[in-house]
């Protein structure tokens, strides 16, 4: 995926992650790593940061997920980490969206449609160019390398969320 496409997707991924950030901040209000990752994803999307620097920093927000215990907080931190990872690989945008939908679901167990509503919001807030960039990604599981290959994003609720997004984009 081109850097231009990754920059487009980084802004959308940051939007997805930011919507669920309160789940993390309620448990760890002094831990700014996820918020910083979202800010960096936005700065990358505006062309203010370079790919190489973001590749080195992309794991910082993911470490924040180990500092909380609530499942929604963990998922929110991972959404932020995935948003930061878009500078490296565009497919991380789907990871950010999937984790954000999972965080929304976990934060509202009384709302069985919470993850679906979050995915609806995500899709409604995709620019036409970002939508086109996401369509260029391989289907989940079709590529043995990268975020959409075997791994955490390819199983369970995260995989279901990504498949739902990709099916709606097709």
């Amino acid at each position: 995926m081109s850097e231009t496409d990754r920059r487009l997707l980084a802004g959308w991924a940051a939007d997805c992650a930011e919507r669920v950030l309160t789940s993390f901040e309620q448990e760890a209000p002094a831990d700014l790593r996820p918020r910083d990752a979202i800010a960096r994803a936005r700065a990358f999307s505006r062309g203010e940061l370079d790919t190489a620097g973001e590749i080195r920093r992309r794991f910082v927000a993911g470490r924040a997920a180990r500092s909380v215990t609530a499942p929604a907080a963990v998922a929110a931190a991972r959404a932020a980490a995935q948003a930061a990872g878009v500078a490296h690989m565009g497919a991380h945008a789907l990871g950010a969206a999937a984790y954000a939908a999972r965080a929304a679901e976990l934060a509202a167990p009384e709302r069985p449609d919470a993850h679906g509503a979050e995915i609806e919001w995500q899709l409604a807030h995709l620019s036409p160019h970002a939508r086109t960039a996401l369509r260029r990604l391989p289907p989940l599981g079709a590529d043995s390398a990268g975020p959409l290959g075997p791994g955490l994003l390819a199983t369970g609720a995260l995989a279901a969320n990504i498949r739902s997004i990709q099916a709606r984009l097709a």
Side-chain angles (χ1 to χ4, degrees):
M1 177 172 282
S2 73
E3 183 173 311
T4 300
D5 285 347
R6 290 193 320 274
R7 288 189 187 279
L8 285 169
L9 292 177
W12 176 73
D15 291 344
C16 293
E18 188 169 49
R19 283 182 46 87
V20 297
L21 186 57
T22 56
S23 291
F24 178 85
E25 291 178 332
Q26 287 172 349
E27 187 171 336
D31 191 338
L32 301 178
R33 292 175 292 183
R35 183 166 290 284
D36 180 60
I38 292 167
R40 284 193 338 270
R42 288 192 198 293
F44 176 77
S45 77
R46 293 187 301 264
E48 297 167 6
L49 298 175
D50 68 353
T51 300
E54 291 313 292
I55 287 172
R56 288 189 302 273
R57 290 188 288 269
R58 73 186 185 276
F59 296 114
V60 174
R63 290 185 205 116
R66 293 184 224 138
S67 70
V68 291
T69 58
V74 171
R78 289 184 178 154
Q82 291 283 320
V86 174
H88 177 237
M89 295 185 84
H92 284 294
L94 287 173
Y99 272 114
R102 182 72 176 139
E105 175 183 33
L106 293 167
E110 73 286 355
R111 288 186 44 225
D113 67 326
H115 76 283
E118 194 64 22
I119 289 171
E120 289 295 324
W121 183 92
Q122 294 167 354
L123 292 169
H125 288 82
L126 262 174
S127 72
H129 294 297
R131 184 177 298 272
T132 299
L134 282 178
R135 285 184 181 135
R136 289 189 193 113
L137 293 171
L140 182 66
D143 187 357
S144 62
L148 299 179
L152 287 176
L153 296 179
T155 61
L158 297 173
N161 291 343
I162 291 173
R163 284 190 180 99
S164 176
I165 292 167
Q166 287 190 313
R168 301 275 306 280
L169 291 171

